[in-house]
């Protein structure tokens, strides 16, 4: 998950004719409403957080919010507030209103935060700190604002890949059990941790699932109806079908490669998502530069049906937009947001290069 070096030069942004200082809040609010946002890495030429606007010729970039830097991930609550990460050595969490005005800022108590999740009731927010291998747990009030200090949950463990797994590297977090169970996928420890949270906020940590040594688990996605989850590994390029047990543990049912047969080059699994109907699973492959599409059967099992070119290089994250019939891909190293048409059967059409945006790593509605 570390920020990969990039030779991308800084490019002018399409449609970014208005400087941030000249952009009133009302104009910025209108540009964000009904559109999307994209986060970028500053050290890869990224201009900050960028509104994406939809027109007759597709998506284009709006005026960047330069003050929101290194937004590698973020979530939006039911109250309309956004929680955006600032991925740096001293990680920060920014809370923003719908116009992207910052109303709070807090430490994530770790280095390089890369993923966040809200509990189902919106009263807790978890953040995965990659480089420090820890999780920050925040309490929120009914309006979605931060309450008190965050709790730091430290992971322990390592793996056989000494370059990538010398210590723990938390990469994904997600709540279940009505907010009483917090799972954290750790690439460095080859594990999915389970943090149980009691009524007083005390935390008990155990291992929910261990991968094969050196697999480097990255992200997890749950089936919308079945007690099934899907775990993608970055280092082994696999997806494991997991049975989700009520006590928070997982057990493996099957494992498949995310890459096509015969491919021998270097690649790293990245983002994963399940469609609303629970019939298709999508995974991005960085290196092979594709989106793998799997059919999901009635029991949650997987069958590979497609590897679609991602329209660029190094697909870090993608946004599945079923109502709009499209899948948008943040291609980090080629610095573009590609668009792939999404057919009714879940297959993907040819990729269009789309909008140029250096260092793009995050997309959100």
């Amino acid at each position: 998950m570390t920020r990969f070096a990039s030779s991308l030069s800084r490019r002018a942004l399409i449609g970014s004719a208005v400087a941030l200082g000249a952009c009133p809040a009302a104009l910025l609010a209108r540009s964000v409403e009904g559109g999307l946002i994209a986060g970028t890495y500053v050290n890869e030429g990224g201009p900050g957080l960028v509104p994406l606007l939809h027109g007759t010729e597709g998506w284009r970039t709006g005026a960047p919010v330069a003050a929101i830097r290194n937004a590698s991930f973020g979530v939006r609550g039911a109250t309309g507030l956004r929680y955006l990460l600032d991925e740096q050595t001293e990680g920060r969490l920014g809370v923003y209103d719908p116009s992207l005005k910052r109303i709070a800022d807090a430490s994530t108590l770790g280095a390089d935060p890369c993923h966040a999740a809200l509990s189902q009731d919106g009263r807790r927010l978890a953040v995965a700190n990659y480089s420090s291998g820890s999780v920050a747990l925040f309490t929120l009030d009914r309006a979605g604002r931060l309450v008190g200090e965050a709790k730091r949950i430290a992971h322990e463990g390592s793996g056989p890949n000494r370059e990538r797994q010398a210590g723990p590297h938390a990469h994904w977090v997600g709540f279940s059990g009505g907010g009483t169970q917090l799972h954290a996928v750790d690439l460095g420890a080859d594990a999915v941790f389970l943090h149980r949270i009691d009524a007083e906020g005390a935390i008990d940590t155990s291992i929910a699932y261990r991968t094969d040594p050196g697999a480097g688990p990255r992200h997890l996605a749950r089936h919308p109806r079945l007690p099934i989850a899907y775990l993608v590994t970055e280092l082994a390029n696999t997806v494991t079908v997991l049975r989700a047990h009520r006590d928070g543990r997982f057990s493996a049912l099957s494992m498949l490669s995310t890459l096509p047969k015969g491919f021998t080059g270097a690649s790293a699994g990245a983002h994963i998502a399940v469609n609303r109907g629970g019939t298709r699973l999508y995974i991005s492959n960085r290196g092979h530069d594709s989106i793998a599409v799997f059919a999901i059967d009635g029991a949650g099992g997987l069958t590979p049906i497609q590897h679609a070119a991602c329209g660029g290089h190094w697909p870090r994250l993608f946004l599945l937009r079923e109502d709009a019939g499209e899948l948008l891909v943040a291609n980090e190293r080629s610095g573009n947001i590609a668009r792939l048409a999404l057919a009714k059967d879940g297959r993907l059409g040819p990729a269009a290069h789309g909008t140029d945006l250096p260092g793009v790593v995050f997309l959100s509605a």
Side-chain angles (χ1 to χ4, degrees):
M1 198 293 311
T2 52
R3 299 180 203 161
F4 296 93
S6 172
S7 60
L8 291 172
S9 61
R10 195 179 291 268
R11 294 191 285 263
L13 296 178
I14 301 171
S16 299
V18 183
L20 178 61
C23 185
L27 178 58
L28 181 57
R30 287 198 299 271
S31 71
V32 174
E33 185 179 357
L36 306 175
I37 58 172
T40 65
Y41 280 156
V42 172
N43 70 328
E44 296 184 4
L49 192 79
V50 180
L52 298 177
L53 313 175
H54 196 270
T56 57
E57 296 183 359
W59 292 100
R60 61 183 178 87
T61 53
V65 185
I68 305 180
R69 299 157 52 90
N70 301 317
S72 59
F73 200 81
V75 291
R76 183 168 60 175
T79 64
L81 297 183
R82 292 184 186 270
Y83 308 87
L84 299 175
L85 304 180
D86 183 353
E87 187 182 324
Q88 56 175 313
T89 302
E90 296 182 1
R92 307 297 298 180
L93 168 72
V95 184
Y96 300 86
D97 70 12
S99 71
L100 296 181
K101 177 183 177 181
R102 188 172 69 185
I103 61 174
D105 176 78
S107 170
T108 65
L109 308 179
D112 296 319
C114 61
H115 195 264
L118 285 164
S119 61
Q120 291 86 342
D121 63 1
R123 302 303 295 273
R124 290 189 173 112
L125 173 74
V127 174
N129 292 305
Y130 177 82
S131 293
S132 54
S134 61
V135 172
L137 183 61
F138 295 86
T139 300
L140 309 177
D141 64 17
R142 293 186 182 276
R145 295 175 181 258
L146 303 180
V147 177
E149 299 293 327
K151 292 184 179 180
R152 182 178 183 273
I153 309 170
H155 289 179
E156 295 182 355
S158 61
N161 185 326
R162 302 314 298 168
E163 181 179 357
R164 298 294 311 281
Q165 296 182 306
H169 293 306
H171 214 314
W172 180 94
V173 284
F175 289 93
S176 62
T180 62
Q181 299 174 353
L182 172 62
H183 289 98
V185 177
D186 196 295
L187 184 149
D190 282 329
V192 180
F193 288 90
L194 170 60
H195 307 297
R196 292 188 176 91
I197 308 168
D198 68 17
E200 286 72 41
I203 299 168
D204 176 70
T205 297
S206 59
I207 300 294
Y209 179 74
R210 284 196 182 277
T211 68
D212 291 338
R218 180 181 172 94
H219 278 195
L220 183 145
R222 289 182 177 271
H223 192 280
R225 297 184 310 277
L226 302 173
I228 296 291
Y230 305 96
L231 180 67
V232 62
T233 62
E234 178 171 332
L235 305 182
N237 297 287
T238 60
V239 56
T240 301
V241 182
L242 300 173
R243 172 73 64 183
H245 300 282
R246 289 188 176 182
D247 63 0
R249 294 179 301 107
F250 296 108
S251 56
L253 298 178
S254 63
M255 182 189 298
L256 295 83
S257 174
T258 66
L259 300 168
K261 293 181 179 180
F263 178 77
T264 58
S267 196
H271 191 53
I272 183 170
V274 181
N275 69 349
R276 288 195 303 257
T279 60
R280 294 291 183 267
L281 176 75
Y282 302 85
I283 297 174
S284 59
N285 292 308
R286 297 171 298 173
H288 185 252
D289 290 341
S290 66
I291 306 297
V293 185
F294 296 83
I296 304 176
D297 64 29
L302 299 178
T303 301
I305 60 173
Q306 185 185 19
H307 284 86
C310 70
H313 181 36
W314 216 249
R316 160 70 178 253
L317 182 143
F318 57 85
L319 187 61
L320 185 63
R321 289 170 42 82
E322 295 182 63
D323 292 338
E326 64 183 8
L327 184 142
L328 303 178
V329 185
N331 288 310
E332 180 182 352
R333 292 187 177 178
S334 57
N336 70 298
I337 302 172
R339 180 188 183 277
L340 286 74
L342 179 66
K344 291 183 178 180
D345 66 358
R347 292 178 181 267
L348 299 172
H353 178 85
T355 303
D356 288 329
L357 184 57
V360 60
V361 291
F362 170 63
L363 300 170
S364 178

